[in-house]
Amino acid sequence: MPREELVMICCSDIAGQVRGKGFPARLLHERRHRGVGWTPTNIMITGHGPIAPSPWGPFGDLVLVPDLDAHVRVDFQDDTAPEHFVLGDIRHLDGRPWECCLRDFVRRGLDALRHETGLTVKAAFEHEFHFDGVEERPNSAYGLDAYRRQGTFAQTFMYALERAGLGPDTFMPEYGPCQYEVTIEPAIGLRAADEAVILREMARAAAARAGARASFTPILRPDAVGNGVHVHFSLLAADSRQPVNHDPDRAHGLSVTAGSFLAGILEHLPSLAALTAASTISYLRLVPHRWSAAYNNLGVRDREAAVRICPVFETAGVDVARQYHFEFRAADAAASPYLVLGALIWAGLDGLRRGLPTPTPSEGDPSTWSQAELDARGLMRLPQSLGAALDNLAASEAFKDWMGPTLHDVYLRHKRFEDENLSALPTEEQCARYRLVY
Ligand code: GLU
Ligand code: MG
């Protein structure tokens, strides 16, 4: 039967959901400036469906304009329609960025970082997820048999990533039930967050073609380990692209510049978590001994630290400064990748602006330390519920300034509404709901 190929202009919203409008692909060029119509209240649609109380109600008009640098077309060469979408920016009708455009939140952070320090950020989002096309069996972590049982999904997925313009790196069965992990090459600036959005969609697309579902829910059920999103990142000079993170003469090789950037992130973590661990069940994951993050600590090769200094392979001929980077572990895929990346940039920039001293990496298990010992090290337990994290975010004048008052207010309204609805349910039911929608 004849078909008309369609393309969808999409945004990834506060709920970390990708939404947009489709039209005949041959008209993409024609729509590259005027995009498609968009409604402010769309940003209040929660991941679970109900719409949070909206300051706009039925009023207002915006446009969702495609960014052709974020154009994805993957033909799976089967009978299915190609995956064809473009990520875009939300603007006012006169072309000004909308105050709640999440890509613009990242762009503004990158512009400020570059303008004030000459630096930019390189990042890669590492994802764990649940693939329901395999039977749950114990002891599957890194197992060749668990790898085999997912069939052709991984191959299709890696093919799709490549075709979508990402750099597939590794794929593996992880420790959790039916859990797999994928890593990709880093990208500079906004592109890193775009790639996180694209990666999740390619996983869903490949899984659907295997008759299965990939879920990026933060945690499958209360007794499982979580599905983390670990953001690998580093700073580089915006013009020369030279890395600035490593100083062989300082403790752990951590440069003064990177030290201040990390200190900013760790200081703001109690409120920043509301943006990076953005679901009610995210806080089942952020507990000690789940290999996620539970304190605002820096660690060296410590997989329970909020920020980890990653290992460098110091074999002959390897440029240590180019490899040396950090991993932020207190994020999951219920969060918008733009809010995650933007929050890290703004908080890190704050550390640079204030010249914060390099944090001392913690050694050992902070959950065994008394309050006095934590205080002495300047460490804090991360918020233990979404509600607590949102209260911190509400009180943060810094985030209000970086996000702008409208986005700050709207984010709080959206997430408080979601949290009120979800936290009233038994924990197992909360997990079941998130599994369905992420
Ligand atoms: N599943 C762990 C998390 O929730 C991460 C395990 C690891 O790869 O270190 O972040
Ligand atoms: Mg992992």
Side-chain angles (χ1 to χ4, degrees), residues 126 128 142 172 174 181 230 329:
E126 166 189 323
E128 294 170 335
Y142 308 109
M172 74 209 77
E174 248 284 13
E181 174 176 316
H230 302 161
R329 298 176 65 86

Side-chain angles (χ1 to χ4, degrees), residues 79-420:
D79 200 34
T80 59
E83 291 287 333
H84 197 175
F85 61 88
V86 195
L87 301 176
D89 296 304
I90 309 178
R91 304 222 179 118
H92 289 285
L93 301 184
D94 62 9
R96 277 177 304 124
W98 185 41
E99 303 80 279
C100 299
C101 174
L102 303 189
R103 288 178 99 227
D104 198 58
F105 172 60
V106 180
R107 258 195 215 107
R108 286 188 287 111
L110 286 166
D111 287 350
L113 180 66
R114 184 186 183 122
H115 180 74
E116 293 175 40
T117 67
L119 299 174
T120 193
V121 168
K122 184 161 92 169
F125 287 58
E126 166 189 323
H127 283 84
E128 294 170 335
F129 58 97
H130 174 256
F131 176 68
D132 72 2
V134 291
E135 170 197 12
E136 184 178 334
R137 287 194 203 166
N139 189 29
S140 292
Y142 308 109
L144 178 58
D145 188 53
Y147 170 77
R148 177 181 299 122
R149 285 186 293 113
Q150 53 73 34
T152 55
F153 162 72
Q155 290 189 16
T156 311
F157 180 28
M158 294 301 246
Y159 163 85
L161 291 178
E162 179 107 47
R163 300 299 300 173
L166 280 60
D169 181 41
T170 62
F171 178 90
M172 74 209 77
E174 248 284 13
Y175 184 78
C178 308
Q179 190 183 41
Y180 291 85
E181 174 176 316
V182 65
T183 62
I184 54 171
E185 297 294 336
I188 291 176
L190 179 64
R191 175 74 190 169
D194 284 341
E195 291 198 352
V197 176
I198 295 168
L199 180 149
R200 294 170 199 177
E201 293 311 312
M202 291 302 104
R204 294 185 173 111
R209 285 162 177 86
R213 224 187 132 238
S215 174
F216 290 83
T217 181
I219 188 163
L220 186 67
R221 42 177 203 247
D223 68 339
V225 289
N227 285 320
V229 171
H230 302 161
V231 186
H232 290 260
F233 67 95
S234 60
L235 291 166
L236 59 162
D239 292 330
S240 67
R241 304 266 155 118
Q242 289 302 311
V244 300
N245 312 282
H246 187 248
D247 180 345
D249 297 330
R250 297 187 80 236
H252 309 289
L254 189 52
S255 72
V256 173
T257 303
S260 293
F261 194 85
L262 298 185
I265 292 172
L266 296 174
E267 183 181 300
H268 288 288
L269 199 47
S271 43
L272 185 150
L275 300 168
T276 62
S279 75
T280 301
I281 61 170
S282 296
Y283 295 81
L284 299 174
R285 174 179 163 256
L286 296 184
V287 296
H289 312 141
R290 285 201 166 172
W291 287 44
S292 56
Y295 295 82
N296 63 340
N297 58 330
L298 174 66
V300 182
R301 303 182 193 175
D302 172 358
R303 287 188 168 78
E304 290 204 6
V307 176
R308 180 172 86 109
I309 303 177
C310 294
V312 174
F313 304 96
E314 296 183 52
T315 46
V318 161
D319 185 345
V320 171
R322 282 202 179 276
Q323 274 191 43
Y324 188 85
H325 74 278
F326 316 103
E327 179 187 36
F328 178 80
R329 298 176 65 86
D332 62 55
S336 151
Y338 301 112
L339 289 174
V340 173
L341 186 63
L344 294 176
I345 292 169
W346 280 110
L349 174 60
D350 188 47
L352 287 170
R353 282 173 175 164
R354 291 158 57 208
L356 292 183
T358 301
T360 306
S362 60
E363 278 170 41
D365 179 356
S367 72
T368 62
W369 299 339
S370 67
Q371 190 57 48
E373 286 171 302
L374 291 171
D375 291 345
R377 292 173 167 94
L379 295 186
M380 235 184 275
R381 179 74 174 84
L382 297 187
Q384 295 182 44
S385 66
L386 179 59
L390 291 168
D391 288 346
N392 295 339
L393 183 69
S396 169
E397 285 302 321
F399 269 105
K400 192 169 175 182
D401 184 36
W402 303 330
M403 299 172 83
T406 310
L407 177 57
H408 185 252
D409 173 59
V410 150
Y411 186 82
L412 290 166
R413 288 183 191 225
H414 178 131
K415 285 292 165 182
R416 281 183 166 145
F417 174 78
E418 170 180 343
D419 193 42
E420 274 158 28

